[in-house]
Amino acid sequence: MLFSIAVILLSGLFLGFLCKKINFPSLFGMIIAGVIIGPYCLNLIDSSILNLSTEIRRIALIIILIRAGLKLNFSDLRKVGRPAILMCFLPACFEILGMVILAPLLLGMNRLDAAILGAVIGAVSPAVVVPRMIKLIDKGYGVNKGIPQMILAGASVDDVFVIVMFTTFTGLAQGQEVSAMAFLNIPISIILGIGVGFLVGFLPYKYFSKIKMPLVIRTMIMLAISFGLSTIETHYPVIPFASLIAIMAMGMAIKKSDSTMAVNLSGQFDKIWAFAEIFLFVLVGASVAIDHAKDAGLKAIALILLVLLFRMLGVFFCLLGTKLNFKERIFSMIAYTPKATVQAAIGGLPLAMGLACGEVVLTVSVVAILLTAPLGAFGIDLTYASFLEKRENPS
């Protein structure tokens, strides 16, 4: 296991560094490193780590969302209002619709199988998007109009909606009836997640403010609380509870109560992220079955690019009536395209369920990760400085 960890760190750092030197996103190099050292190529990662891959990626996602919450100003998010709410579900709906229309034409799938594929592909990747929006907030790009805040919030909730849709469609494919409660659980889980997150965020703040303790201890307490929240969602599925939203809300509660404490804690989590980022994207790459990617062909690539246009159209509708100019709207569309973590997590489930579309869903998921994660990240990195206004004194 120790050798595998060393290989993951060194290969991820090295290929990430090389990509950065040629002005490519470092995550592209990390994903490629995972593909190379993963079980489908050199097979240098110990099976014990691969068996824990889902949990390790979940930990990395938790760190991402804690950082996001600690950097989000509640007042800035409130300014965004309606577009942020629409970004949580409308682009995904457009993308699923695009898949239902196009997948039968390009891949010969039936409408229900196309809907399952659309639900898998329709999720944006917070692992790619959120760190970049945090960077924009830190640098002050687009913050006056709440652009990174809007995208950050939408990307964090988008996955909850898409996973519910995926569960519904796969249930239909297995002969189950559609439950109205499944759709009602979406707003309930979001509201409950926000409420619980703010509650547990204020409690640690009260505790931290009364008792002097090293910053590293405070950081570990926040991590432990976050892991507990995630466990509740995983082990008690009868409770409609969006733990990832709760984790981000917890950070926002601390930011609202004490901005200095939030800055200090954020600095600690930034350091942890430097380590977690490598594991996240290398393990995402290791989950990519390269044989499926090779078998996909041009039709799968064309399908992904076309449904991305549907997704971007959905973002356009979310931004109607806002004060964003043309470049800012284009940036928002680009920023909402990357896919990685959700596709890696659920792309193989239809095949495991024995559904006829399983092989196609897995194949297209693999291509979506390889195509959109680096492309979307590169698009964000390339355009933000020229498409967004910079606040002179970012706070």
Side-chain angles (χ1 to χ4, degrees):
M1 181 186 284
L2 291 178
F3 175 74
S4 297
I5 293 173
V7 171
I8 289 170
L9 289 173
L10 292 175
S11 62
L13 281 170
F14 178 67
L15 289 181
F17 171 77
L18 285 184
C19 283
K20 209 169 184 179
K21 292 295 283 184
I22 59 174
N23 293 321
F24 255 65
S26 58
L27 73 86
F28 181 73
M30 295 174 192
I31 291 174
I32 295 302
V35 171
I36 294 170
I37 67 173
Y40 301 100
C41 285
L42 298 181
N43 196 22
L44 297 178
I45 303 178
D46 191 87
S47 60
S48 57
I49 292 180
L50 292 173
N51 292 337
L52 293 172
S53 176
T54 301
E55 286 77 11
I56 293 171
R57 294 201 302 263
R58 182 80 172 182
I59 291 170
L61 199 54
I62 285 170
I63 293 166
I64 288 170
L65 293 172
I66 294 174
R67 292 174 69 224
L70 290 169
K71 292 175 185 287
L72 261 179
N73 280 315
F74 192 71
S75 57
D76 287 343
L77 193 57
R78 196 166 51 209
K79 286 179 196 172
V80 181
R82 176 187 58 84
I85 296 172
L86 292 176
M87 292 281 276
C88 297
F89 66 91
L90 196 58
C93 286
F94 269 74
E95 191 164 4
I96 292 171
L97 175 62
M99 193 67 79
V100 169
I101 294 170
L102 296 172
L105 298 174
L106 290 173
L107 301 181
M109 305 176 76
N110 63 48
R111 301 291 180 191
L112 180 56
D113 287 348
I116 294 171
L117 178 58
V120 173
I121 301 301
V124 72
S125 174
V128 178
V129 173
V130 173
R132 278 166 169 72
M133 295 306 108
I134 291 173
K135 182 175 77 171
L136 298 193
I137 291 170
D138 288 341
K139 291 186 173 184
Y141 281 98
V143 292
N144 287 336
K145 294 184 180 178
I147 296 169
Q149 297 95 317
M150 172 187 68
I151 295 170
L152 193 155
S156 303
V157 180
D158 171 273
D159 293 352
V160 177
F161 173 76
V162 168
I163 288 171
V164 170
M165 298 300 291
F166 172 76
T167 304
T168 302
F169 293 142
T170 51
L172 278 174
Q174 292 176 314
Q176 300 173 13
E177 293 183 2
V178 177
S179 169
M181 193 62 196
F183 292 97
L184 186 60
N185 280 345
I186 297 174
I188 292 174
S189 64
I190 292 169
I191 293 168
L192 192 58
I194 293 171
V196 170
F198 268 90
L199 178 64
V200 298
F202 281 121
L203 290 177
Y205 163 70
K206 293 293 183 185
Y207 182 68
F208 290 165
S209 60
K210 290 182 179 179
I211 300 175
K212 289 187 177 180
M213 63 178 72
L215 193 57
V216 67
I217 300 298
R218 298 183 179 190
T219 305
M220 286 191 284
I221 290 173
M222 276 197 74
L223 266 179
I225 293 171
S226 301
F227 294 161
L229 291 172
S230 182
T231 302
I232 291 172
E233 182 184 28
T234 304
H235 292 279
Y236 301 97
V238 292
I239 304 172
F241 173 67
S243 64
L244 295 180
I245 296 171
I247 290 164
M248 188 167 72
M250 177 178 66
M252 291 174 66
I254 294 174
K255 171 79 171 178
K256 184 174 176 61
S257 303
D258 189 333
S259 58
T260 302
M261 183 187 297
V263 168
N264 292 334
L265 286 169
S266 179
Q268 293 292 305
F269 281 104
D270 286 348
K271 294 173 184 175
I272 296 173
W273 170 243
F275 180 81
E277 179 186 28
I278 300 169
F279 270 87
L280 173 62
F281 290 114
V282 171
L283 289 175
V284 165
S287 70
V288 170
I290 200 69
D291 289 340
H292 293 304
K294 286 191 294 186
D295 294 339
L298 293 176
K299 286 185 179 180
I301 295 172
L303 178 63
I304 292 164
L305 293 175
L306 287 171
V307 296
L308 281 182
L309 294 178
F310 275 80
R311 183 176 191 84
M312 294 170 83
L313 184 62
V315 175
F316 173 80
F317 275 100
C318 292
L319 301 178
L320 288 176
T322 65
K323 295 181 179 179
L324 272 60
N325 61 38
F326 178 74
K327 284 187 176 181
E328 290 165 341
R329 292 175 192 233
I330 293 296
F331 173 83
S332 300
M333 294 177 190
I334 294 170
Y336 227 53
T337 58
K339 301 162 189 307
T341 39
V342 173
Q343 288 71 30
I346 68 174
L349 290 184
L351 185 61
M353 294 173 181
L355 299 180
C357 63
E359 192 76 34
V360 176
V361 171
L362 178 58
T363 299
V364 178
S365 298
V366 167
V367 177
I369 293 170
L370 293 174
L371 188 64
T372 67
L375 198 62
F378 185 67
I380 294 170
D381 295 345
L382 187 68
T383 60
Y384 78 86
S386 55
F387 281 31
L388 303 179
E389 294 177 5
K390 183 177 182 181
R391 185 163 68 189
E392 292 303 319
N393 296 303
S395 57

